[in-house]
Amino acid sequence: MHRIAMGKLATALATTLAVTAVTAATATAASAAPAASPTATAAAADDPFYTYDGSAPLSSYAPGTVLKTRTLQYHVVGIPTPVKAIQLLFRTADAQGRPSAGVTSVVRSLTGDGSRAVSYQSFYDSLNPADSPSRAIAGDVSLGGLIANGESLLLVPLLLSGYNVIIPDTEGQSADFAAGPEYGTTTLDSIRAASRSPETGLNSDTRIGLAGYSGGAIATHWAAALAPGYAPDVDQRLVGYAEGGLLVAPAHNLKYVSGSTIWAGVAPMAVLGAARSYDIDFAPYLNSYGTQVFKELERGSIVNALGQYPGLTWKKMVKPQYANPNSVPAFVEAVNKLNLGSAPTPTAPGFIVQGGGGVFEGTFSNLPGIGRGDGVMVAGDVRALARQYCDKGNTSLKYQQYDLLSHVGAAVPWAPSALVWLNDRFAGKTAPSDCGRIPAGNSLAPEVATTAP
């Protein structure tokens, strides 16, 4: 990729993350930021494209089957652009393996052909379906949707480099935030659907690269991990996955962000997402304050959580007998299902970037067995996962840790480096390996339930 394009990509990603932070700060200052825009939510609910209304049962279709297709102008903050986007409703599976209908958007490159595509997974991080990338592309405007709108800047260098771009709504239509397995199946079936739609110009021979940061890294990594078993037809076309700021073991992250100034509010969002994904009722464990927080965030975006719950801890939200989260069976069940340490090993090459300067974003904890991270993601968990893959035979892994960069900061060097790495994979160059040079990490063993006192 041309250096100018790489520079634009890094600038765009930094701008998008900065917009997220500024928006959250503004909402905090106002002290009355809504969890969702009523107008946007109503518009999203009224759009019939998102509803499967066929006569045959959804379960009768193979995953990745295209159910609906539409072509529209690509919108940015509600303003139409000359760029066209093809949107597909397709059959996929939720976190519990049940048939569901997903949505993806495809933007064709004007300078390339259908031989190469990058599936870009957004970090829209929301519990509100109205904030999904496809809604923003279609013209809906919401507070949480500002992230997906900002990420539009990231597509330009990809398109100019000849890549077609696939943008799945990774969280599904229920907005199951942090539900990694669902992120993965949705991403893989999105690629299948894009490859089967004549309108996209892609086909079963199109080579695919995966890319995503933060929440997008969750989808990117779970897709790479599930591909060999769930979608071998996609796995054989994957040239590699490039990601940064990865969630590995959610139970560790809950403890890591506990009491932090900026990221503490993401913890209840993740619990809400897990509860929604696996039909878990956390209400019996919450105290009155926890009930209030959960209600405030049940349709919220990350911009409703960042910096708005400084000092929040698990103990402040639950009844005294559940002060240890492992005393809640539903919690243990959920986090173990979301632990990448227990997921399959990807066969595709990987490029993983992780920050270690979480103190610059107000997360100072350094707990035994967890250590430091980038403010929200735990560096030791990511190192352990990479080492685990090396030990299991996938040595095509490049790992880079920036100890002086936080979650937002590490995204800046990740963006251009990831695209250079992906370019080399598409070019057929041998993937570099850092196996044998990755420092030791944390235990990724499943959580063990305890008994409430």
Side-chain angles (χ1 to χ4, degrees), residues 3-31:
R3 289 183 180 179
I4 294 177
M6 290 189 293
K8 287 181 178 179
L9 183 68
T11 302
L13 185 52
T15 301
T16 302
L17 288 164
V19 166
T20 302
V22 170
T23 303
T26 302
T28 304
S31 301

Side-chain angles (χ1 to χ4, degrees), residues 301-326:
S301 162
I302 192 169
V303 299
N304 301 108
L306 287 179
Q308 297 201 46
Y309 296 92
L312 182 67
T313 65
W314 172 272
K315 290 182 179 181
K316 290 181 179 179
M317 295 188 294
V318 298
K319 296 172 183 176
Q321 63 268 37
Y322 303 115
N324 179 356
N326 284 29

Side-chain angles (χ1 to χ4, degrees), residues 6-353:
M6 290 189 293
K8 287 181 178 179
L9 183 68
T11 302
L13 185 52
T15 301
T16 302
L17 288 164
V19 166
T20 302
V22 170
T23 303
T26 302
T28 304
S31 301
S37 165
T39 301
T41 303
D46 291 341
D47 191 337
F49 179 77
Y50 290 81
T51 302
Y52 171 67
D53 50 14
S55 57
L58 194 54
S59 59
S60 67
Y61 295 103
T65 299
V66 178
L67 305 172
K68 290 182 182 179
T69 304
R70 70 179 179 186
T71 299
L72 42 71
Q73 288 177 284
Y74 193 110
H75 291 71
V76 178
V77 198
I79 302 172
T81 73
V83 177
K84 298 292 184 181
I86 300 131
Q87 294 194 325
L88 308 172
L89 183 77
F90 59 92
R91 199 278 214 193
T92 186
D94 67 10
Q96 299 184 56
R98 299 171 300 194
S100 61
V103 177
T104 192
S105 305
V106 181
V107 182
R108 299 178 63 171
S109 172
L110 296 177
T111 61
D113 53 29
S115 65
R116 303 181 302 164
V118 171
S119 181
Y120 175 78
Q121 286 63 249
S122 168
F123 51 88
Y124 63 105
D125 300 346
S126 179
L127 290 161
N128 186 352
D131 298 334
S132 64
S134 70
R135 309 272 190 186
I137 290 169
D140 290 349
V141 178
S142 66
L143 179 65
L146 288 177
I147 295 173
N149 278 292
E151 285 179 295
S152 298
L153 296 171
L154 298 172
L155 308 186
V156 176
L158 291 169
L159 295 169
L160 291 178
S161 297
Y163 295 114
N164 301 280
V165 183
I166 307 169
I167 312 147
D169 289 359
T170 54
E171 298 180 5
Q173 294 205 56
S174 299
D176 297 336
F177 174 62
E182 182 170 348
Y183 282 28
T185 55
T186 300
T187 299
L188 292 168
D189 288 329
S190 159
I191 294 169
R192 282 170 158 164
S195 301
R196 294 170 182 172
S197 170
E199 288 83 357
T200 66
L202 309 183
N203 55 55
S204 59
D205 294 322
T206 301
R207 292 182 300 157
I208 304 292
L210 300 172
Y213 193 85
S214 190
I218 299 174
T220 296
H221 201 103
W222 274 97
L226 295 179
Y230 180 80
D233 53 312
V234 175
D235 190 56
Q236 66 183 2
R237 295 191 280 137
L238 287 181
V239 302
Y241 61 96
E243 64 194 23
L246 178 64
L247 173 69
V248 177
H252 292 177
N253 293 74
L254 178 71
K255 297 174 184 176
Y256 173 60
V257 303
S258 180
S260 62
T261 57
I262 296 176
W263 289 101
V266 175
M269 276 189 65
V271 175
L272 277 162
R276 185 178 296 175
S277 306
Y278 295 109
D279 298 323
I280 298 170
D281 182 12
F282 277 95
Y285 311 106
L286 301 174
N287 58 26
S288 58
Y289 179 63
T291 301
Q292 174 189 329
V293 171
F294 273 50
K295 184 175 181 179
E296 290 172 350
L297 291 174
E298 63 182 351
R299 301 282 286 182
S301 162
I302 192 169
V303 299
N304 301 108
L306 287 179
Q308 297 201 46
Y309 296 92
L312 182 67
T313 65
W314 172 272
K315 290 182 179 181
K316 290 181 179 179
M317 295 188 294
V318 298
K319 296 172 183 176
Q321 63 268 37
Y322 303 115
N324 179 356
N326 284 29
S327 66
V328 178
F331 171 85
V332 175
E333 177 187 4
V335 296
N336 284 340
K337 289 178 179 177
L338 302 177
N339 186 342
L340 273 169
S342 300
T345 299
T347 59
F351 173 55
I352 305 172
V353 164

Side-chain angles (χ1 to χ4, degrees), residues 336-425:
N336 284 340
K337 289 178 179 177
L338 302 177
N339 186 342
L340 273 169
S342 300
T345 299
T347 59
F351 173 55
I352 305 172
V353 164
Q354 179 59 44
V359 293
F360 299 112
E361 290 183 12
T363 306
F364 298 94
S365 65
N366 187 13
L367 300 171
I370 296 177
R372 298 196 183 278
D374 63 8
V376 61
M377 305 303 187
V378 179
D381 290 356
V382 183
R383 293 196 305 271
L385 189 67
R387 287 168 61 98
Q388 178 176 302
Y389 292 164
C390 291
D391 292 343
K392 289 189 175 183
N394 184 349
T395 58
S396 299
L397 289 177
K398 180 173 179 58
Y399 177 79
Q400 179 69 57
Q401 183 168 315
Y402 297 102
D403 288 325
L404 296 180
L405 295 179
S406 61
H407 191 69
V408 173
V412 178
W414 169 80
S417 299
L419 266 296
V420 168
W421 185 89
L422 278 173
N423 282 340
D424 287 345
R425 304 293 75 74

